[in-house]
């Protein structure tokens, strides 16, 4: 059945960001719900869907979003979120369930996690089970797809496997990593999700989905090594390496922060394998069969190397990171504001200057004292922050919601202004803003005016002490940054 009216929640996330355009391609009319629609403004498929602003924790906004909808995809997860994420996830699911029932929605589809029956689950997996049960109890026919490790370019699982394998000559690991897992390629997850919209009748329940390979953790690591052309890594079992300690290790040697690593590792405490294949009678496997683990790794590596990453785990906000935008006039509202402002006028063209600004961060760095940036990034990782390893989605272009190391793009006016909001651990809220304006030079030629602002709104005494302690370093870092950006733009070098 084609031409259905579909609502996708979680479209700014890893799976939702890939599902929405595929539903459009399948002939459906797609609406996406987002707390911040600006994060979808630059998505390649934004003009093909209806984007509505709303918060799943506000019942009235959920009800408005499901009006006139046939199928609801609930793809919102709070992995890595701070606070009582399980309570928040359950509340959101209850609002979706109630609104779907009231609006006469014909089907709900939810992506959950593989888990064993009758065992005590990690908090992350237990929350997914609770959400699935809330949706199944909605009175609306519901399909809950339970998947294990999802392998694809930009997935948190793949990033963790990739960096651990590439960085370490051997992998210290707890004994519980001898448990079995059944990875699934993201393309196969999307196949089941897309086809679920066409399932008719009263199909209702949970269904396991997984790839064709059942592997131990060591085989997962070394499967990546083979496809990446690396020597296979010996696994060294350590009985004292708890999930908490393992997450600290992952936090230090991979871009995946501790808040996300913890639930991923927690899911390894159990055998997470497909126990039934009832899904085959409802949604047949993809034409040509399911993708094997090494095939999925091969595809992900190719995407990573080409820079063609459709969506990424980095899209998720860091746990505890502030999400409020920069106030239009924080001083007027009575806030204490610290600011470091630098300006330059250059004969570099506005286009050349903007090209350098938009490409900042990631592999190109920050044009200023790399050692100091690295030390600050390491300190952030030690305390559980995101550090500098998240990098960028694209080396040249940014869009709202993208990550740039420990920053997130809050606002971009291409060619004119870029504002980044800090997601590192700081006692306050911080932004850095770059602007480019064309000017006429004394010579009569056209040049550019460059402005750079670092803004900090401290929280209490600790925030003030933090800023004052960094003033000497800021004098060097921000001065060098402004000078180098203008110099690179002028030389035409990147």
């Amino acid at each position: 059945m084609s031409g259905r009216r579909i609502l996708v929640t979680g479209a700014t996330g890893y799976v939702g960001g890939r599902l929405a355009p595929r539903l459009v391609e399948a002939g459906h009319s797609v609406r996406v719900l987002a707390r911040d629609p600006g994060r979808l403004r630059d998505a390649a498929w934004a003009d093909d869907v209806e984007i509505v602003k709303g918060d799943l924790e506000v019942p009235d906004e959920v009800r408005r979003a499901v009006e006139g909808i046939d199928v609801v995809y609930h793809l919102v997860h709070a992995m890595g979120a701070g606070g009582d994420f399980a309570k928040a996830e359950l509340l959101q699911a209850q609002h979706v369930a109630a609104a779907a029932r009231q609006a006469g929605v014909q089907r709900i589809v939810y992506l959950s996690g593989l888990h064993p029956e009758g065992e005590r689950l990690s908090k992350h997996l237990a929350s997914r089970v609770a959400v699935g049960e809330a949706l199944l109890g909605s009175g609306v026919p519901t399909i809950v797809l339970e998947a294990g490790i999802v392998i694809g370019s930009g997935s948190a699982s793949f990033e963790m496997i990739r960096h651990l394998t590439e960085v370490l000559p051997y992998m210290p690991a707890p004994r519980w990593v001898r448990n079995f897992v059944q990875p699934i390629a993201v393309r196969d997850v999307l196949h089941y999700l897309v086809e679920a919209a066409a399932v008719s009748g009263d199909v209702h329940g949970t269904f396991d989905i997984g790839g064709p390979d059942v592997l131990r953790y060591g085989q997962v690591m070394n499967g990546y090594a083979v496809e990446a052309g690396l020597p296979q890594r010996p696994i060294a079992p350590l009985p004292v390496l708890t999930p908490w300690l393992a997450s600290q290790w992952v936090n230090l040697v991979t871009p995946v922060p501790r808040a996300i690593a913890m639930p991923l590792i927690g899911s390894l405490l159990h055998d997470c394998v497909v126990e039934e294949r009832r899904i085959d009678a409802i949604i047949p496997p993809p034409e040509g069969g399911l993708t094997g683990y090494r095939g999925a790794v091969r595809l992900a590596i190719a995407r990573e190397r080409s820079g063609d990453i459709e969506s990424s785990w980095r899209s998720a906000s860091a746990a505890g990171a502030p999400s409020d935008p920069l106030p239009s006039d924080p001083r007027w509202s009575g806030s204490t504001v610290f600011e470091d402002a630098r300006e330059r006028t250059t004969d570099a063209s506005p286009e050349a200057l903007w090209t350098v600004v938009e490409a900042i961060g990631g592999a190109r760095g920050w044009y200023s004292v790399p050692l100091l940036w690295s030390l600050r990034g390491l300190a952030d990782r030690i305390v559980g922050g995101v550090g500098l390893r998240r990098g960028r989605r694209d080396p040249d272009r940014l869009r709202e919601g993208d990550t740039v190391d420990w920053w997130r793009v809050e606002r971009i006016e291409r060619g004119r202004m870029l504002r980044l909001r800090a997601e590192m651990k700081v006692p306050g809220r911080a932004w850095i803003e770059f602007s480019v304006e064309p000017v006429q030079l004394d010579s009569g030629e056209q040049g550019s005016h460059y402005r750079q602002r670092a803004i900090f709104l401290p929280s209490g005494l600790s925030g003030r002490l933090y800023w004052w302690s960094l003033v000497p370093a800021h004098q060097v870092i921000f001065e060098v940054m402004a000078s180098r950006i203008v110099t690179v733009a002028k030389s035409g070098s990147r």
Side-chain angles (χ1 to χ4, degrees), residues 257-270:
R258 185 168 60 209
I260 293 179
M262 189 68 180
L264 288 176
I265 291 171
S267 65
L268 294 175
L269 292 171
H270 321 279

Side-chain angles (χ1 to χ4, degrees), residues 292-306:
Y293 171 67
R294 284 180 53 182
V297 168
R298 195 178 309 126
L299 290 168
I301 290 174
R303 291 274 190 177
E304 293 268 0
R305 288 176 177 171
S306 68

Side-chain angles (χ1 to χ4, degrees), residues 337-378:
V337 182
F338 295 121
E339 182 175 309
D340 183 289
R342 312 277 166 169
E343 299 186 43
R344 298 285 190 280
T345 299
T346 174
D347 57 2
S349 70
E351 294 79 14
L353 185 54
W354 176 257
T355 297
V356 178
V357 167
E358 191 174 5
I360 200 167
R364 292 191 176 100
W366 292 86
Y367 299 99
S368 176
V369 199
L371 178 60
L372 292 180
W373 283 91
S374 297
L375 290 174
R376 182 63 181 87
L378 177 61

Side-chain angles (χ1 to χ4, degrees), residues 268-281:
L268 294 175
L269 292 171
H270 321 279
D271 286 335
C272 289
V273 298
V274 171
E275 297 179 351
E276 47 82 15
R277 300 292 304 192
R278 293 182 299 116
I279 191 65
D280 292 344

Side-chain angles (χ1 to χ4, degrees), residues 75-391:
L75 300 175
V76 173
H77 300 297
M79 184 172 73
D84 192 349
F85 73 86
K87 182 179 179 180
E89 286 188 338
L90 182 58
L91 180 65
Q92 292 169 356
Q94 290 169 339
H95 290 166
V96 170
R101 180 176 61 250
Q102 181 180 341
V105 168
Q106 299 170 22
R107 178 162 305 287
I108 297 173
V109 183
Y110 174 61
L111 181 62
S112 186
L114 276 178
H115 62 278
E117 297 294 335
E119 293 189 26
R120 183 177 179 181
L121 303 177
S122 66
K123 187 176 180 180
H124 165 62
L125 279 177
S127 177
R128 291 203 171 189
V129 171
V131 167
E133 290 174 349
L135 297 174
L136 288 165
S138 66
V140 176
T142 298
I143 293 177
V144 176
L145 299 173
E146 298 186 337
I149 297 174
V150 176
I151 301 298
S153 59
S155 79
S157 298
F158 176 73
E159 288 284 290
M160 190 169 76
I161 293 165
R162 179 167 75 96
H163 283 85
L164 285 174
T165 308
E166 290 182 350
V167 170
L168 303 174
Y170 77 95
M171 177 59 188
R175 288 178 178 174
W176 41 259
V177 298
R178 295 186 182 279
N179 292 339
F180 289 100
V181 294
Q182 192 162 354
I184 183 169
V186 68
R187 58 171 49 197
D188 292 337
V189 173
L190 293 169
H191 163 79
Y192 287 114
L193 287 171
V194 170
E195 293 301 316
V199 174
S200 58
D202 297 326
V203 174
H204 184 78
T206 62
F207 302 88
D208 292 356
I209 60 174
D213 301 320
V214 177
L215 307 167
R216 294 185 189 272
Y217 183 70
Q219 293 172 306
V220 169
M221 296 275 290
N222 284 320
Y224 174 85
V226 170
E227 293 300 327
L230 300 171
Q232 295 195 38
R233 299 330 197 204
I235 308 296
L238 298 175
V240 297
L241 193 58
T242 66
W244 185 86
L245 286 173
S247 68
Q248 312 308 309
W249 183 245
V250 170
N251 175 66
L252 286 175
V253 301
T254 83
V256 180
R258 185 168 60 209
I260 293 179
M262 189 68 180
L264 288 176
I265 291 171
S267 65
L268 294 175
L269 292 171
H270 321 279
D271 286 335
C272 289
V273 298
V274 171
E275 297 179 351
E276 47 82 15
R277 300 292 304 192
R278 293 182 299 116
I279 191 65
D280 292 344
I282 301 164
I283 302 174
E287 185 177 349
L290 295 165
T291 307
Y293 171 67
R294 284 180 53 182
V297 168
R298 195 178 309 126
L299 290 168
I301 290 174
R303 291 274 190 177
E304 293 268 0
R305 288 176 177 171
S306 68
D308 184 17
I309 302 174
E310 193 174 346
S311 63
S312 172
W313 65 271
R314 295 170 174 85
S315 300
S317 296
S323 57
D324 295 334
L326 176 66
S328 57
D329 192 346
R331 287 191 175 88
W332 181 86
S333 65
S335 299
T336 298
V337 182
F338 295 121
E339 182 175 309
D340 183 289
R342 312 277 166 169
E343 299 186 43
R344 298 285 190 280
T345 299
T346 174
D347 57 2
S349 70
E351 294 79 14
L353 185 54
W354 176 257
T355 297
V356 178
V357 167
E358 191 174 5
I360 200 167
R364 292 191 176 100
W366 292 86
Y367 299 99
S368 176
V369 199
L371 178 60
L372 292 180
W373 283 91
S374 297
L375 290 174
R376 182 63 181 87
L378 177 61
D380 194 53
R381 296 293 289 189
I382 290 172
V383 298
V386 294
L388 286 173
R389 290 201 185 98
R390 286 192 305 184

